[in-house]
Amino acid sequence: MKGILNFTQEQLVSQFNNLKFAKFRVQQVIDWIYSKGVTSFTQMTNFNGQTQGTLSNSYCIYRPQISAIKKSIDGTIKFLLKLDDSLTIESVFIPEDHRNTICLSTQVGCAVGCKFCNTGYNGFKRNLKPEEIIGQVFVIKDYVDSWKDRTKRISNVVFMGMGEPLYNWNNVNIAMQNLKLGGEIQGLSPKRITLSTSGIVSVLEKIIPTLECNLAISLHAPNSATRSSIMPINNLYNLENLLTICKAYNRLHPNKLITFEYILLNGINDNTGMAKQLIKILHGVKCKVNLIQFNSWKGDKFVGSDEQKIQNFRKILVSSGINATIRHSRGRDIMAACGQLQSSN
Ligand code: SF4
C-alpha cells in the first residue's frame, strides 16, 4: 500500500494515469485530502464504489498515532506521535491570539548534536517520510478540529521540532509543496512556513535560489570557537561560510529577512563582548535576531542567562540598529519549548 501523501501533485498525475483515471480525479482527491481532511477513500462521496475501491486498494491516507498529549498552562499542546515502526516523535501546537502555529519534526532524533538540545543529546534514528511530516499537521488538525472550525485554522508551520530539516531536504520539500494544496482555507503558503536550520551550507547553496519559505538559522554564537563548543556542526560548516551563504540569500531574496536564533547561555555566549562581536559579524546581513531563553531538560549542562542579561544583550544589539526581539518560549512546563523535544514522554 502506497502512502498518497508521499506524492506531489505532479507525481499523482502520473500515478492516476497508470490507474487509467481521468486527470481531473487528481484535483478531486487533493481537495478531499488536503481541504476537507478525510481519512479514507470511502468518504469521497463523488466517487463511485469502484473508484473508491481502486484507490483504497492502492493507497493509504497516513496519520501517525497519538501516543500521549500534554497541555501547557499557556495553551500549548505537545503531541507524542507513534509511527508505523513504533518510533516516536513530538510535534507542538501553539495557539496565539491571531494565529495558530504547528512546530514540526523532520527526523526521529537528530545527528547534529547541538549541546544545548535534548533532541540532539538523544541521537539520530531516521528521516521522516513526507507523509510522516504532513501527517503531524493532519493529526493535530483532527485533534483541534481545524478542518471545520475556522478559528482553529493552522496559519503557520515552523520546521523547528526534532531533526535537521536540511539533512532530510527531499522529503521536507515534498511536504512543504503538499501543505500548499489545501486551498484558500487549509493551504499554507510558503510565506507562512519557516524552515530552521543549524546551517548545512552544502544544502543551502543548492536550495536558496528557489527557496520560497522563510529562513531561520540557529546561530547561537558570534565566533567560531564558541559556536563549535556548543554546535559541533560548526566544525563542518563554519561561521564564515555560513555568513557568506546568508549574504547570498539576501541578494537572491532582497525583500526577505533571515532570522538568526540565539539561545543565551550563562557565561558562554551572553556577555557584552559577545553582543559586540555579533553586531560585527551581522554587519551587511539583512536579518533579525531572536534571542531565546535556554529551556532546561534532564541531563543538560547549561544554565540559561537571567532576564537582566538577556535584556542587556538585546539593548546592545538594538542600539546598533539590529532588529532584536526576545522570544519567550511557549510550553516550557510540558517540555514542549525550543530544544526540549525528544522521542519519549
Ligand atoms: S537544535 Fe536542531 S539541529 Fe541542533 S541538535 Fe537540536 S534538533 Fe538537531
Side-chain angles (χ1 to χ4, degrees):
M1 188 81 70
K2 292 180 269 192
I4 200 160
L5 305 182
N6 289 324
F7 297 107
T8 60
Q9 186 165 9
E10 207 180 14
Q11 289 166 336
L12 269 187
V13 171
S14 97
Q15 286 281 318
F16 279 25
N17 194 28
N18 294 340
L19 291 173
K20 310 267 181 281
F21 283 172
K23 204 174 166 190
F24 69 88
R25 292 281 185 221
V26 173
Q27 191 55 50
Q28 287 180 323
V29 167
I30 283 174
D31 286 345
W32 280 112
I33 294 175
Y34 290 92
S35 304
K36 299 191 178 78
V38 301
T39 52
S40 127
F41 294 101
T42 54
Q43 291 169 277
M44 300 182 179
T45 48
N46 53 347
F47 294 171
N48 64 27
Q50 195 186 349
T51 307
Q52 289 177 356
T54 307
L55 287 168
S56 304
N57 291 332
S58 310
Y59 305 103
C60 66
I61 307 169
Y62 182 76
R63 298 282 198 275
Q65 200 186 316
I66 297 179
S67 246
I69 288 174
K70 281 191 177 174
K71 294 185 180 180
S72 162
I73 43 167
D74 66 19
T76 300
I77 309 176
K78 183 172 78 166
F79 296 81
L80 179 71
L81 302 173
K82 192 166 156 191
L83 308 171
D84 282 353
D85 55 5
S86 292
L87 290 174
T88 53
I89 51 169
E90 290 188 325
S91 320
V92 185
F93 171 70
I94 309 154
E96 289 172 275
D97 284 347
H98 302 294
R99 62 179 183 182
N100 295 315
T101 303
I102 295 181
C103 178
L104 292 178
S105 292
T106 54
Q107 299 182 307
V108 185
C110 185
V112 172
C114 302
K115 300 270 200 277
F116 49 79
C117 172
N118 199 3
T119 308
Y121 181 79
N122 285 301
F124 172 75
K125 302 267 179 4
R126 70 169 173 85
N127 281 334
L128 295 183
K129 294 182 263 185
E131 65 179 353
E132 291 170 325
I133 300 170
I134 300 164
Q136 295 169 62
V137 178
F138 283 8
V139 88
I140 293 175
K141 282 183 168 197
D142 295 345
Y143 183 84
V144 302
D145 197 26
S146 58
W147 297 110
K148 294 197 185 99
D149 182 345
R150 280 192 180 204
T151 64
K152 304 279 176 53
R153 187 184 153 204
I154 306 303
S155 54
N156 295 69
V157 158
V158 294
F159 286 92
M160 293 185 183
M162 294 165 58
E164 166 50 65
L166 296 194
Y167 275 159
N168 186 19
W169 174 243
N170 287 345
N171 292 348
V172 170
N173 193 24
I174 292 172
M176 270 198 219
Q177 300 305 320
N178 287 356
L179 286 172
K180 283 191 216 169
L181 298 175
E184 216 176 290
I185 311 291
Q186 303 293 346
L188 277 153
S189 84
K191 62 176 187 237
R192 302 225 166 242
I193 297 179
T194 301
L195 180 76
S196 174
T197 174
S198 59
I200 312 302
V201 172
S202 59
V203 183
L204 281 169
E205 277 168 353
K206 290 186 193 127
I207 69 169
I208 57 164
T210 53
L211 193 67
E212 294 180 295
C213 67
N214 304 306
L215 179 64
I217 306 267
S218 298
L219 194 62
H220 306 312
N223 62 62
S224 258
T226 311
R227 193 164 190 264
S228 294
S229 74
I230 52 175
M231 296 182 72
I233 195 74
N234 194 67
N235 294 315
L236 207 54
Y237 302 108
N238 67 36
L239 197 52
E240 202 180 303
N241 291 341
L242 181 57
L243 291 166
T244 302
I245 198 81
C246 288
K247 286 175 185 161
Y249 175 88
N250 282 161
R251 280 194 298 276
L252 289 160
H253 304 275
N255 299 322
K256 284 189 173 178
L257 296 178
I258 298 172
T259 300
F260 288 109
E261 290 152 358
Y262 197 105
I263 291 184
L264 284 147
L265 303 166
N266 190 42
I268 293 176
N269 62 359
D270 65 345
N271 63 32
T272 306
M274 295 276 179
K276 287 184 178 159
Q277 278 183 39
L278 189 57
I279 293 166
K280 209 165 161 194
I281 65 163
L282 294 185
H283 181 73
V285 185
K286 248 177 106 182
C287 65
K288 60 182 172 180
V289 176
N290 247 340
L291 299 172
I292 306 169
Q293 253 175 326
F294 172 64
N295 298 303
S296 191
W297 41 273
K298 199 173 164 200
D300 75 58
K301 296 186 176 64
F302 298 96
V303 176
S305 312
D306 61 31
E307 188 65 28
Q308 186 61 48
K309 265 193 170 172
I310 298 176
Q311 293 289 355
N312 284 346
F313 202 92
R314 176 176 177 267
K315 224 187 264 173
I316 298 168
L317 297 185
V318 170
S319 67
S320 80
I322 290 180
N323 174 355
T325 50
I326 298 170
R327 186 166 92 207
H328 289 286
S329 296
R330 300 283 305 266
R332 292 179 95 184
D333 56 328
I334 53 164
M335 296 287 291
C338 191
Q340 290 183 314
L341 301 187
Q342 55 167 355
S343 291
S344 67
N345 223 24

